[in-house]
C-alpha cells in the first residue's frame, strides 16, 4: 500500500494500537437508540458497516453522561448501568473487524435540545437552540464530573477500546472553558486555570475509575471562532497540561453554535480547513494529535500525516457517505469512493431538526440493518431507468448491483440532470462529484446509458424492459 503508507500505518494510542490512522469522528446521528436509551440493531449495524469497511478507529457520538446533558433525543445514554448490555452487544458485533471502537462522552449543557438545560452560567446558546440554561451549583459541578467518570467506567465494562471526552464545539465542558459562556466568580470561572478546572477534574475522575491503561482522548477546539470565545493560544496552553495529566491523544476541532467558522464546514469551505490548528498543537506536545474538518481525499489525509501536521486524521461525513472509504482507499481505486459533497442537508440539518441523521449521497445511512443481507436478484430482470439525473443514476447503480440488466436513458445529451445546474454557482462544483461517482460506477458495471433518447413507445419497445423506473426529477 505504498501510495497511502502514512494513513495506513498503525498508530499507538496509550495502550491501544490501531491498524491505521483513520478515525471516524463522533457524530450524534440521532437514530438507533430506543426510548429507554438502549442501543438497537440500527446503530450497531451502522458501525459494523464502517468497521467492515476498514476504518481504523470509530467513535460513537453524543454518549450522554447525565440526563441534563442529552444533546438530541436518540443518543446513547450512559448515566446508568442499565446501558451496558446493549452497548456490549454493539461492541461485540464490531470486534471481529479489527476497528478500535470508542465512545465519545458528552454533556450538551446549554446546547442541549430539551428544556432542562444546565450550564456554567445562565446564558443562552448563541444559535440553533433556544432557552436560558440553569446555572450549575458547586455540588452539581462535582456531580457532573463524577458522571463522566462513571460513564467512562460503563463504557469500559461494555467493551469499548477507548473513550473521547467532548470538550469542544460549545458543549458543557467547552462552556466552562470559554470566557463568553462562563461568567462564574467561583473557582470554576475567571482565570484560565479556573475555566479548565472542570475538564481536569472529570479527566482525573475518569482515569481513577477506568485505570491508567484505558485510553482516554480529548477533543478540544483549536479555536471557537466566536467573539470572546476559546482561542488557539489557550488551546496550546491546555494541550501541554493535558499531556502532563496523562491524556492519550488530543483531537483538535473548532467552532461552537453560532461561530463564524462552522464545526461542520459546508462545500464552500476549503478542504482541511482546521489542519493548521492541529499543526500548531502538535508543535507543543508529543502525544498523538488528530485533525479533522473537510478532509475528503485519502491522499490529502496521507499528506497531512506525512508532513507531520497531525498524527491521525478524523473524518465524519466522508464515512457517512461511504462506509467502505478505507478499504476503497487502500485498494488504490479512489474513484470507487462515494463522496460527501459537503451539502450538510441529510446529516447535520436532519439531526438539528431532531430527525434521524441521513446522507443525500448514501441512502443506506441508518438502513444498514435492513440492507445488510440483500442478495442478488433471482431471476434478474431487464430494467429501463428513465432519467439520468442523480436519482436515476443511483437507481440504476442499485439495480445493477443486484444483478439486473439496466439501461438508463435521458432525452438530454448529458447525464447529471439538474445537479449540473446546481453545481454552476461558485463554490458548488462538488455537487458534480456525486454524478461523477455514479457515472464511474455505471461504467464499471457496464450499464448502458442512452443519451438524446426520447421516451417514445418505439424506444421502449426497442429496449424491451420488464420494469421501468421513472426518475425524471430529483432536485
Ligand atoms: C450529523 C453530525 C453529528 C455530529 N455530532 C458530533 C458529536 O456528537 N460530537 C463531535 O465531537 N462532533 C460531532 N460532529 C462533528 C464531526 O465529528 C466532525 O468534526 C465534522 O463533521 C467535520 O468533519 P468532516 O468534515 O469530516 O465531516 C457531527 C457531525 C455531523 C455531520
Ligand atoms: S448529507 Fe451531504 S454533507 Fe452530509 S454526509 Fe451526506 S453528502 Fe456529506
Amino acid at each position: 500500500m505504498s501510495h497511502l503508507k502514512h494513513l495506513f500505518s498503525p498508530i499507538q494510542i496509550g495502550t491501544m494500537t490501531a491498524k491505521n490512522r483513520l478515525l471516524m469522528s463522533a457524530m450524534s446521528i440521532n437514530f438507533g437508540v430506543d426510548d429507554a436509551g438502549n442501543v438497537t440493531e440500527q446503530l450497531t449495524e451502522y458501525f459494523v458497516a464502517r468497521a467492515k469497511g476498514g476504518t481504523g478507529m470509530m467513535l460513537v457520538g453524543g454518549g450522554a453522561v447525565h440526563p441534563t446533558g442529552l444533546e438530541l433525543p436518540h443518543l446513547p445514554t450512559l448515566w446508568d448501568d442499565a446501558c451496558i448490555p446493549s452497548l456490549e452487544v454493539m461492541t461485540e458485533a464490531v470486534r471481529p473487524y479489527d476497528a478500535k471502537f470508542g465512545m465519545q462522552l458528552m454533556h450538551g449543557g446549554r446546547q442541549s435540545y430539551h428544556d432542562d438545560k444546565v450550564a456554567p452560567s445562565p446564558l443562552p446558546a448563541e444559535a440553533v437552540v433556544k432557552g436560558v440554561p440553569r446555572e450549575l451549583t458547586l455540588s452539581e459541578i462535582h456531580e457532573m464530573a463524577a458522571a463522566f467518570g462513571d460513564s467512562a467506567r460503563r463504557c469500559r465494562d461494555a467493551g469499548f477500546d477507548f473513550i473521547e471526552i467532548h470538550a469542544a464545539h460549545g458543549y458543557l465542558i467547552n462552556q466552562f472553558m470559554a470566557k463568553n459562556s462562563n461568567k462564574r466568580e467561583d473557582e470554576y470561572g475567571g482565570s484560565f486555570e479556573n475555566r479548565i478546572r472542570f475538564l481536569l477534574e472529570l479527566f482525573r475522575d475518569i482515569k481513577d475509575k477506568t485505570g491508567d491503561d484505558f485510553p482516554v482522548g480529548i477533543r478540544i477546539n483549536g479555536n471557537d471562532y466566536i467573539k470572546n470565545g476559546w482561542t488557539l493560544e489557550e488551546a496550546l496552553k491546555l494541550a501541554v497540561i493535558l499531556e502532563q495529566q496523562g491524556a492519550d491523544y488530543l483531537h483538535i476541532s473548532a467552532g461552537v453554535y453560532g461561530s463564524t467558522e462552522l464545526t461542520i464546514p459546508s462545500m464552500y469551505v476549503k478542504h482541511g480547513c482546521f489542519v493548521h490548528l492541529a499543526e500548531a498543537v502538535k508543535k507543543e506536545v508529543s502525544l498523538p494529535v488528530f485533525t479533522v474538518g473537510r478532509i475528503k481525499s485519502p491522499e490529502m489525509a496521507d499528506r497531512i500525516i506525512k508532513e507531520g501536521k497531525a498524527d491521525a486524521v478524523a473524518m465524519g461525513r466522508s464515512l457517512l457517505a461511504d462506509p467502505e472509504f478505507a478499504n476503497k482507499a487502500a485498494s488504490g481505486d479512489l474513484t470507487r469512493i462515494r463522496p460527501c459533497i459537503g451539502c450538510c442537508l441529510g446529516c447535520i440539518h436532519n439531526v438539528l431538526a431532531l430527525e434521524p441523521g441521513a446522507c443525500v449521497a448514501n441512502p443506506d445511512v441508518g438502513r444498514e440493518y435492513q440492507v445488510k443481507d440483500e442478495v442478488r436478484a433471482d431471476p434478474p430482470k431487464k430494467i429501463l431507468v428513465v432519467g439520468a439525473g442523480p436519482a436515476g443514476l443511483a437507481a440504476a447503480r442499485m439495480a445493477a448491483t443486484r444483478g439486473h440488466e439496466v439501461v438508463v436513458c435521458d432525452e438530454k445529451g448529458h447525464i447529471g440532470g439538474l445537479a449540473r445546474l446546481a453545481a454552476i454557482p461558485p463554490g458548488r462544483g462538488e455537487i458534480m462529484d456525486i454524478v461523477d461517482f455514479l457515472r464511474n460506477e455505471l461504467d464499471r458495471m457496464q450499464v448502458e446509458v442512452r443519451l438524446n433518447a426520447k421516451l417514445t413507445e418505439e424506444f421502449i419497445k426497442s429496449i424491451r424492459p420488464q420494469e421501468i423506473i421513472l426518475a425524471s426529477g430529483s432536485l
Side-chain angles (χ1 to χ4, degrees), residues 375-377 380-383 385 392-408 438 441-448 469:
V375 285
R376 286 176 72 81
K381 291 181 175 174
K382 181 147 192 191
I383 297 180
V385 178
L393 298 177
R397 173 181 177 271
M398 186 51 76
T401 306
R402 302 256 170 85
H404 296 293
E405 186 189 344
V406 185
V407 176
V408 185
L438 290 166
E441 288 286 282
L442 297 195
D443 286 350
R444 188 176 58 80
M445 291 186 283
Q446 297 175 335
V447 171
E448 189 183 348
I469 298 175

Side-chain angles (χ1 to χ4, degrees), residues 226-282:
I226 200 161
K227 194 169 169 224
N228 221 11
W230 178 254
T231 63
L232 178 58
E233 199 189 344
E234 290 175 312
L236 299 182
K237 239 165 107 180
L238 177 63
V240 174
I241 295 169
L242 292 175
E243 177 163 46
Q244 286 162 358
Q245 295 291 314
D248 292 293
Y249 73 84
L250 295 178
H251 186 169
I252 311 303
S253 188
V256 303
Y257 288 8
S259 294
T260 51
E261 302 292 330
L262 296 181
T263 299
I264 305 167
S266 76
M267 59 176 72
Y268 297 104
V269 178
K270 72 167 188 175
H271 293 183
C273 51
F274 302 138
V275 172
H276 64 289
L277 301 172
E279 188 181 4
V281 170
K282 196 166 153 47

Side-chain angles (χ1 to χ4, degrees), residues 74-155:
H74 296 289
L75 297 179
T77 63
L78 306 173
W79 56 76
D80 193 290
D81 281 2
C83 71
I84 296 173
S86 68
L87 291 174
E88 207 170 4
V89 170
M90 181 161 70
T91 59
E92 275 173 17
V94 163
R95 190 156 300 119
Y97 304 104
D98 195 23
K100 295 300 172 194
F101 197 22
M103 170 70 79
Q104 188 186 55
L105 305 188
M106 86 176 284
H107 188 300
R110 68 179 184 170
Q111 291 185 172
S112 303
Y113 80 101
H114 53 75
D115 292 333
D116 189 21
K117 299 187 218 335
V118 295
S121 302
L123 298 166
E126 301 280 349
V128 184
V129 292
K130 293 193 165 60
V132 180
R134 188 170 56 74
E135 180 173 295
L136 286 164
T137 64
L138 277 180
S139 74
E140 282 174 324
I141 293 176
H142 301 147
E143 181 190 334
M144 295 303 160
F148 274 90
D150 293 336
S151 298
R153 193 263 305 154
R154 291 181 191 113
C155 291

Side-chain angles (χ1 to χ4, degrees), residues 133-207:
R134 188 170 56 74
E135 180 173 295
L136 286 164
T137 64
L138 277 180
S139 74
E140 282 174 324
I141 293 176
H142 301 147
E143 181 190 334
M144 295 303 160
F148 274 90
D150 293 336
S151 298
R153 193 263 305 154
R154 291 181 191 113
C155 291
R156 182 175 191 152
D157 290 351
F160 283 101
D161 300 302
F162 68 110
I163 55 157
E164 181 178 274
I165 300 169
H166 197 350
H169 303 170
Y171 296 107
L172 184 68
I173 303 173
N174 194 167
Q175 286 158 35
F176 271 94
M177 288 157 57
K179 286 185 199 145
N180 68 334
S181 45
N182 183 349
K183 302 292 177 193
R184 298 183 75 94
E185 292 179 356
D186 58 14
E187 63 266 41
Y188 290 94
S191 67
F192 173 80
E193 287 69 26
N194 282 355
R195 284 181 282 119
I196 64 166
R197 189 180 307 282
F198 178 55
L199 171 60
L200 297 189
E201 285 180 356
L202 67 89
F203 176 76
R204 197 63 264 153
D205 199 69
I206 289 171
K207 283 288 183 185

Side-chain angles (χ1 to χ4, degrees), residues 246-368:
D248 292 293
Y249 73 84
L250 295 178
H251 186 169
I252 311 303
S253 188
V256 303
Y257 288 8
S259 294
T260 51
E261 302 292 330
L262 296 181
T263 299
I264 305 167
S266 76
M267 59 176 72
Y268 297 104
V269 178
K270 72 167 188 175
H271 293 183
C273 51
F274 302 138
V275 172
H276 64 289
L277 301 172
E279 188 181 4
V281 170
K282 196 166 153 47
K283 290 193 179 121
E284 303 295 318
V285 293
S286 53
L287 80 174
V289 173
F290 288 54
T291 187
V292 71
R294 283 271 284 160
I295 301 165
K296 289 176 50 170
S297 100
E299 287 123 322
M300 181 183 218
D302 192 72
R303 206 166 47 245
I304 289 167
I305 298 165
K306 180 181 172 196
E307 291 172 357
K309 294 177 176 167
D311 300 289
V313 168
M315 294 186 192
R317 292 164 295 169
S318 288
L319 286 157
L320 282 185
D322 197 335
E324 291 176 76
F325 183 100
N327 283 345
K328 289 177 180 174
S331 80
D333 187 358
L334 306 189
T335 62
R336 291 229 48 211
I337 295 174
R338 176 166 31 200
C340 162
I341 57 171
C343 65
C344 294
L345 290 176
C347 53
I348 194 63
H349 278 215
N350 268 23
V351 304
L352 290 179
L354 310 186
E355 298 290 334
C359 173
V360 301
N362 176 9
D364 291 344
V365 170
R367 295 176 62 240
E368 293 82 359

